[in-house]
């Protein structure tokens, strides 16, 4: 741990410290927008699916979660997330390795949070960002699997970028049995990776993006909350 640089993030009255690791997804605009909209009853049982640096799991713990289960398919991410939990003096996060809901088979939660990899690309990208050719490969499975891992009245909170189809995501959540509302939204300029993918993205049927006042292409992001009836 020593010698590694640490970034401090401030959300409301909480400060979260995250060690920089270029091979792990660092908290992004989507992560912070989700975090800003996180609310729960004290003592809630929370699942953070695809925890990356552990940021959202750590934040959920600081907000009063009774227990947090944080999963990831990447052993490296889990190692970093465990260190970050220690850095933030958080000791009620159970880190588990595995894909999607496999590490929590048969378990139910009050709240599921997830910021899945959603970059659409024909060619593989780093796993922490690649969502398959249409960007939806992990996202769709997170939504479809959520109802059977939520207690009655339990909630799923996910950010969705317009490059994967916001309307399509909304419909999938409704079809999966959720009552859905939008908690927040933002508009964010493309980074270098997305600029290179502009031609590909412009031909995807569900993808959309807008231009800002400086003519930069931007994705839109909505934070959806689905309540299980
Ligand atoms: C976009 S990052 C988000 C990380 C973190 N939750 C955040 O918001 O900063 C997506 C994370 O999901 C993980 N992931 C990708 N596919 C997965 C899968 N099938 N099951 C579990 N985790 C997965 C990646 O390793 C990565 O850490």
């Amino acid at each position: 741990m020593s010698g590694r640089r640490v970034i401090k993030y401030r959300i409301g009255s909480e400060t979260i410290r995250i060690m920089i690791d270029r091979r792990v997804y660092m908290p992004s605009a989507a992560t912070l927008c989700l975090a800003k909209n996180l609310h729960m009853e004290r003592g809630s049982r929370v699942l953070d699916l695809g925890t990356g640096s552990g940021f959202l799991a750590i934040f959920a713990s600081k907000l009063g979660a009774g227990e947090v289960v944080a999963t990831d398919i990447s052993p490296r991410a889990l190692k970093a997330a465990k260190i970050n939990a220690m850095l933030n003096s958080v000791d009620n996060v159970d880190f588990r390795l595995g894909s999607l809901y496999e590490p929590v088979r048969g378990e139910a939660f009050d709240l599921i949070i997830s910021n899945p990899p959603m970059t659409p690309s024909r060619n593989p990208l780093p796993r922490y960002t690649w969502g398959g050719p249409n960007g939806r490969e992990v996202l769709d499975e997170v939504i479809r699997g959520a109802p059977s891992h939520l207690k009655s009245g339990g909630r799923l909170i996910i950010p969705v970028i317009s490059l994967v189809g916001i309307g399509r995501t909304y419909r999938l959540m409704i079809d999966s049995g959720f009552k859905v509302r939008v908690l927040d939204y933002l508009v964010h300029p493309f980074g270098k990776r997305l600029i290179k993918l502009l031609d590909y993205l412009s031909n995807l049927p569900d993808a959309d993006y807008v231009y800002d006042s400086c003519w930069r292409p931007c994705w839109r992001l909505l934070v959806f909350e689905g309540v299980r009836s």
Side-chain angles (χ1 to χ4, degrees):
M1 203 196 304
S2 64
R4 280 275 175 82
R5 270 186 60 216
V6 167
I7 301 185
K8 280 189 200 172
Y9 299 85
R10 207 161 166 79
I11 308 263
S13 59
E14 299 292 348
T15 301
I16 314 264
R17 291 169 180 78
I18 298 291
M19 184 186 65
I20 296 179
D21 184 335
R22 277 186 299 110
R23 284 172 287 181
V24 173
Y25 184 93
M26 294 302 288
S28 64
T31 314
L32 299 177
C33 195
L34 197 165
K36 209 168 70 153
N37 288 282
L38 217 47
H39 57 282
M40 72 189 78
E41 282 179 19
R42 285 198 83 74
S44 294
R45 185 155 201 259
V46 179
L47 170 63
D48 175 20
L49 203 159
T51 195
S53 68
F55 184 92
L56 293 170
I58 293 165
F59 188 55
S61 168
K62 285 184 177 270
L63 286 184
E67 182 197 358
V68 185
V69 177
T71 68
D72 207 288
I73 204 167
S74 155
R76 178 152 195 122
L78 281 185
K79 192 173 163 203
K82 282 180 194 166
I83 294 171
N84 287 327
M86 281 193 289
L87 268 178
N88 289 279
S89 308
V90 158
D91 61 6
N92 66 340
V93 182
D94 179 1
F95 294 97
R96 301 186 196 171
L97 183 66
S99 182
L100 292 162
Y101 293 97
E102 185 266 330
V104 293
R105 198 171 292 154
E107 296 182 44
F109 297 85
D110 299 297
L111 174 65
I112 298 175
I113 50 181
S114 186
N115 174 21
M118 283 182 281
T119 305
S121 163
R122 193 182 294 113
N123 303 315
L125 300 171
R127 208 174 202 173
Y128 57 71
T129 194
W130 192 40
N134 65 2
R136 304 191 59 94
E137 270 177 15
V138 182
L139 173 69
D140 284 353
E141 296 312 313
V142 169
I143 295 172
R144 287 197 188 104
S148 57
H149 291 89
L150 281 172
K151 299 175 187 173
S152 175
R155 296 174 297 131
L156 168 67
I157 303 186
I158 43 168
V160 178
I161 53 167
S162 56
L163 302 177
V164 304
I166 284 175
R168 185 167 163 182
T169 307
Y170 177 78
R171 285 190 296 279
L172 178 61
M173 289 182 76
I174 298 281
D175 291 347
S176 303
F178 286 107
K179 201 168 151 195
V180 183
R181 64 175 176 158
V182 174
L183 298 181
D184 208 348
Y185 64 91
L186 59 85
V187 177
H188 196 279
F190 280 23
K192 283 184 196 142
R193 177 176 285 138
L194 286 177
I195 297 270
K196 284 189 195 146
L197 288 168
L198 198 57
D199 278 350
Y200 177 71
L201 295 171
S202 61
N203 287 307
L204 284 181
D206 293 308
D208 78 69
Y209 50 89
V210 292
Y211 288 89
D212 67 7
S213 56
C214 305
W215 292 105
R216 292 176 302 182
C218 298
W219 42 265
R220 296 180 296 121
L221 176 134
L222 263 60
V223 179
F224 279 129
E225 178 188 66
V227 183
R228 209 208 96 169
S229 47

